[in-house]
Amino acid sequence: MNPAMVGAPMEPSPSPVPSRSFAALEPERKYLWGVCYRMTGSAADADDLVQETFVRALERPPPDMEQPLRPWLVRVAMNLSRDQLRRRKRRGYHGVWLPTPIDGTDGLAADAAEPASSDESPEARYGLMESASFAFLVAVEALTASQRAVLLLRDVFDYSSRETGDMLEMTEEGVRTTLHRARKAMADYDRERRPFSAETIRAVETTLQEILACIATRQAERGRALLTDDTVSLTDGGGVMHAGRAPVYGPEKILRMYMKLATRASPNASFEIRRVNGLPALIAEDPAPNSPNAPRAVVFIDLDAGGKIRAMYSVLAPAKLRHVSFPLLGPAAARD
């Protein structure tokens, strides 16, 4: 693992922990992983944070073992995640930062099949699959660590203000104020968001096929009709692969960029559309790419309420592609 990519290494535990003790916590792993992944957008960070949460549970368990363990574990995981987010923002990143793509839907919806419930709790504002979608994870990057934690606990995992305050060591009034600010910061995302449904999945797949066909055949005018006037393209090369260090705005510039990249693909390049983070995405790999193309890429599109592409996200960083299967080259080995 590269500490520069995943943050400061965790402090080692002072003494070995029996494996049978970890086994007792295993039923909570998937739920906690889902919390930490949505908090950080990083699969590797989620792995580390869940493990650190388990270590703390075994070394310094909650005082009242008669109470349900999950809320206490979520409290620890959330606070560790907030610290990790703050470290990442201080450390900075080479170019545009994007989340870790996760193949398919496994582990994204089932990690929290039963949301928390309370008389105070509203219906969840965002579904579990939507909150793991690429567009959502990119949108919450604009929030502070505390805003992100409150938004997820209240509007995704459906905890009450009191429960959220207890977990984050905030007053209920503080939770409500922070949630108001978080929702305000998410206004642009909310304004054009589409419901996470079978219809949306079909629309994304159809539009993705259409824009790829336009790029491959250099039909710029037809492609232009699929994009909004303010479409943005973000590419994460991780400081390893060639990628712009800033977003690209405007349909004309974006189409020119992708058409140029398409001309550099080798004859053995492979492309397929598959669900990643719950929605159809382009999986591309090229065993002999022409510079500056990357050997692997995952490309997402985000549709506005009218069905046009308002954003395109490309992940090229090898360390962020280990959770995606590539049929020609096999799974990536590096960690994000």
Side-chain angles (χ1 to χ4, degrees):
M1 185 193 309
N2 183 353
M5 296 293 289
V6 300
M10 301 291 185
E11 294 182 4
S13 58
S15 58
V17 181
S19 59
R20 62 178 180 274
S21 299
F22 276 101
L25 297 170
E26 278 302 312
E28 300 295 340
R29 182 179 293 277
K30 186 177 286 189
Y31 184 92
L32 292 176
W33 194 93
V35 170
C36 294
Y37 175 69
R38 288 168 175 83
M39 267 296 289
T40 64
S42 166
D45 283 351
D47 290 343
D48 292 340
L49 291 165
V50 171
Q51 197 70 4
E52 178 66 10
T53 298
F54 283 2
V55 169
R56 293 198 180 192
L58 296 172
E59 293 181 346
R60 299 188 292 277
D64 187 356
M65 295 300 292
E66 297 300 317
Q67 296 297 316
L69 186 58
R70 176 173 287 185
W72 185 89
L73 291 171
V74 172
R75 175 181 181 175
V76 174
M78 269 291 182
N79 285 293
L80 288 172
S81 296
R82 283 198 292 175
D83 290 342
Q84 176 64 8
L85 278 176
R86 291 169 182 140
R87 284 194 296 268
R88 188 169 79 200
K89 289 184 184 297
R90 287 196 302 268
R91 190 170 62 243
Y93 191 74
H94 185 90
V96 174
W97 185 94
L98 290 175
T100 306
I102 305 294
D103 227 340
T105 61
D106 186 43
L108 296 178
D111 52 17
E114 295 296 331
S117 60
S118 164
D119 291 339
E120 287 185 60
S121 295
E123 288 188 15
R125 189 183 185 97
Y126 307 106
L128 290 170
M129 285 308 306
E130 180 182 359
S131 66
S133 70
F134 224 71
F136 181 89
L137 292 173
V138 171
V140 295
E141 276 294 301
L143 307 181
T144 67
S146 291
Q147 287 172 350
R148 189 163 176 167
V150 168
L151 184 84
L152 289 175
L153 289 174
R154 294 285 286 130
D155 285 353
V156 174
F157 293 101
D158 207 16
Y159 286 97
S160 69
S161 293
R162 178 184 58 79
E163 291 166 328
T164 299
D166 289 344
M167 289 179 185
L168 303 178
E169 298 180 335
M170 299 170 66
T171 64
E172 289 187 50
E173 180 60 31
V175 168
R176 285 190 284 270
T177 299
T178 302
L179 180 61
H180 174 75
R181 291 171 178 166
R183 287 176 174 175
K184 186 176 180 180
M186 293 286 286
D188 286 344
Y189 170 83
D190 289 336
R191 188 180 306 112
E192 294 293 340
R193 64 188 275 238
R194 296 169 62 93
F196 202 102
S197 63
E199 181 182 353
T200 295
I201 292 170
R202 286 193 296 271
V204 169
E205 182 166 10
T206 299
T207 306
L208 183 57
Q209 289 172 337
E210 290 176 352
I211 192 64
L212 292 174
C214 292
I215 290 170
T217 58
R218 304 186 67 80
Q219 296 183 58
E221 185 174 345
R222 182 182 164 203
R224 171 68 180 82
L226 298 172
L227 276 62
T228 64
D229 292 337
D230 57 353
T231 301
V232 60
S233 174
L234 304 174
T235 303
D236 183 345
V240 177
M241 295 299 166
H242 180 81
R245 299 202 62 178
V248 177
Y249 292 96
E252 288 78 14
K253 288 183 179 179
I254 292 170
L255 287 169
R256 280 200 303 271
M257 176 182 71
Y258 277 102
M259 287 177 181
K260 192 171 183 179
L261 291 171
T263 63
R264 296 186 179 126
S266 77
N268 294 322
S270 173
F271 307 91
E272 66 180 39
I273 293 176
R274 194 168 67 237
R275 288 179 71 176
V276 182
N277 285 71
L279 286 171
L282 172 69
I283 312 296
E285 60 180 338
D286 193 337
N290 294 300
S291 180
N293 284 20
R296 288 170 166 166
V298 178
V299 180
F300 300 83
I301 60 171
D302 179 33
L303 303 184
D304 69 3
K308 289 194 173 185
I309 300 172
R310 63 172 176 168
M312 298 183 72
Y313 310 111
S314 300
V315 181
L316 314 180
K320 289 191 173 182
L321 297 177
R322 65 182 292 264
H323 289 271
V324 176
S325 174
F326 290 83
L328 290 180
L329 304 179
R335 301 190 70 194
D336 62 335

